């Protein structure tokens, strides 16, 4: 047996896609998406818009608002742009999942995918119309924007992506040199 044949036989065979990681990522995304949509359904049918409902007095309350913009209601006149950006994020993550072989990357991308999908659903299906819908936000804390479950998933997912990048861990589960 030649050296080249022996090296090829000893090298681990890497599949292009790790189905377990794809499944894990899609499971995380689906769970976050479901939690977000169920919470928003509860908010829309239970909470009066603009009224505060204390959860932990002075620290946390529910307040039903409709957000046409991004974080902190920035860009409220550009709702359709946010719809396109979120659609691109969803498509981009689905495309990236074929490369993921690291479980932590799978979780991180699943969180961002579920959150982007939750807010994209609002943009597509809520008033005032398709592609211009306002996102349902309801989690309020002092001196900060009012947000939702999807936003939490996106923030935690992005933080995890940054941590993975800072520790030189690539999507294939190896450390970059």
């Amino acid at each position: 047996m030649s050296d080249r044949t022996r090296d090829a036989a000893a090298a681990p065979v890497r599949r292009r896609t790790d189905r377990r990681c794809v499944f894990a990522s899609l499971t995380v995304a689906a769970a976050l998406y479901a939690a977000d949509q169920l919470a928003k359904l509860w908010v829309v049918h239970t909470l009066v818009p603009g009224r505060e409902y204390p959860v932990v007095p002075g620290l946390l309350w529910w307040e039903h608002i409709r957000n046409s913009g991004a974080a902190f209601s920035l860009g409220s006149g550009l709702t359709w742009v946010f719809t396109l950006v979120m659609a691109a994020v969803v498509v981009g993550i689905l495309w990236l999942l074929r490369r993921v072989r690291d479980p932590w990357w799978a979780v991180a991308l699943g969180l961002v995918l579920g959150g982007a999908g939750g807010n994209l659903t609002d943009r597509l299906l809520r008033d005032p119309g398709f592609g211009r819908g306002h996102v349902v936000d309801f989690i309020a804390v002092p001196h900060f924007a009012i947000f939702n479950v999807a936003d939490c998933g996106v923030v935690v997912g992005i933080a995890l992506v940054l941590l993975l990048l800072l520790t030189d861990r690539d999507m294939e589960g190896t450390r970059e040199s």
Side-chain angles (χ1 to χ4, degrees):
M1 183 184 284
S2 72
D3 288 340
R4 187 177 196 163
T5 307
R6 192 172 341 151
D7 290 343
V13 177
R14 289 250 179 178
R15 288 192 329 240
R16 185 169 169 88
T17 302
D18 184 336
R19 289 188 178 108
R20 292 173 301 176
C21 285
V22 171
F23 179 76
S25 191
L26 294 177
T27 300
V28 168
L32 179 67
Y33 179 85
D36 176 65
Q37 292 300 301
L38 288 171
K40 289 173 180 174
L41 186 67
W42 172 77
V43 167
V44 167
H45 291 297
T46 306
L47 304 182
V48 175
R51 182 172 169 212
E52 293 181 8
Y53 298 84
V55 177
V56 179
L59 293 177
L60 173 68
W61 62 94
W62 303 148
E63 183 177 351
H64 176 184
I65 67 163
R66 299 294 179 107
N67 185 357
S68 63
F72 303 100
S73 295
L74 296 174
S76 57
L78 301 171
T79 302
W80 64 272
V81 172
F82 300 123
T83 303
L84 293 176
V85 168
M86 281 185 265
V89 167
V90 167
V91 169
I93 290 173
L94 290 171
W95 182 79
L96 275 177
L97 285 180
R98 64 190 176 82
R99 290 186 43 211
V100 175
R101 287 190 271 287
D102 181 283
W104 288 107
W105 272 97
V107 169
L109 293 176
L111 288 168
V112 177
L113 178 62
N119 285 336
L120 178 60
T121 298
D122 284 7
R123 298 284 183 202
L124 293 175
L125 303 179
R126 294 201 187 275
D127 287 335
F130 185 80
R132 298 176 295 115
H134 297 177
V135 173
V136 173
D137 287 331
F138 65 96
I139 303 169
V141 295
H143 314 294
F144 197 69
I146 300 175
F147 52 98
N148 60 44
V149 174
D151 298 334
C152 294
V154 169
V155 169
V156 172
I158 295 289
L160 186 53
V161 165
L162 291 174
L163 180 65
L164 292 166
L165 291 173
L166 288 172
T167 58
D168 290 327
R169 192 172 184 134
D170 68 18
M171 284 190 256
E172 295 178 352
T174 60
R175 298 224 181 237
E176 296 176 0
S177 54

